[in-house]
Amino acid sequence: MSVTADQVKEKLTSALEATSVEVVDTSGGCGSAFEVYVVSAQFEGKTLIARHRLVNDALKAEMAHIHALSIKKAQTPAQAAAAAAPASS
């Protein structure tokens, strides 16, 4: 069974009540490697490793078919907003 980027996105959005999820299939389409960018209020007050654990737990069933998962960003909504704000001079 291969996993699609859409399936990963749907699962993360649902499980983490994410406000933003971007999933990039880096496997060339076979569904075995993904990069993910996730923004969720569930990350509030959590360390980076705890955030990564939440992402991995959300994809527990899919991980049996995913060879590589790179969590590029796991941010709170406030962190995402600050990162998107233009730098002041």
Side-chain angles (χ1 to χ4, degrees):
M1 171 186 140
S2 66
V3 179
T4 67
D6 287 340
Q7 288 172 315
V8 172
K9 182 175 181 173
E10 182 179 314
K11 191 71 172 259
L12 290 174
T13 301
S14 174
L16 299 176
E17 299 173 350
T19 55
S20 177
V21 177
E22 182 181 341
V23 179
V24 178
D25 184 341
T26 58
S27 68
C30 72
S32 64
F34 297 95
E35 289 182 350
V36 296
Y37 304 79
V38 185
V39 177
S40 172
Q42 290 186 23
F43 296 150
E44 289 287 348
K46 302 245 185 327
T47 63
L48 184 59
I49 190 72
R51 294 174 186 197
H52 284 217
R53 285 183 181 138
L54 285 172
V55 171
N56 281 305
D57 287 347
L59 297 173
K60 192 168 204 155
E62 290 78 7
M63 289 305 291
H65 307 285
I66 295 175
H67 173 72
L69 179 69
S70 178
I71 303 168
K72 293 297 188 180
K73 289 190 181 172
Q75 298 179 316
T76 65
Q79 289 172 322
S88 58
S89 318

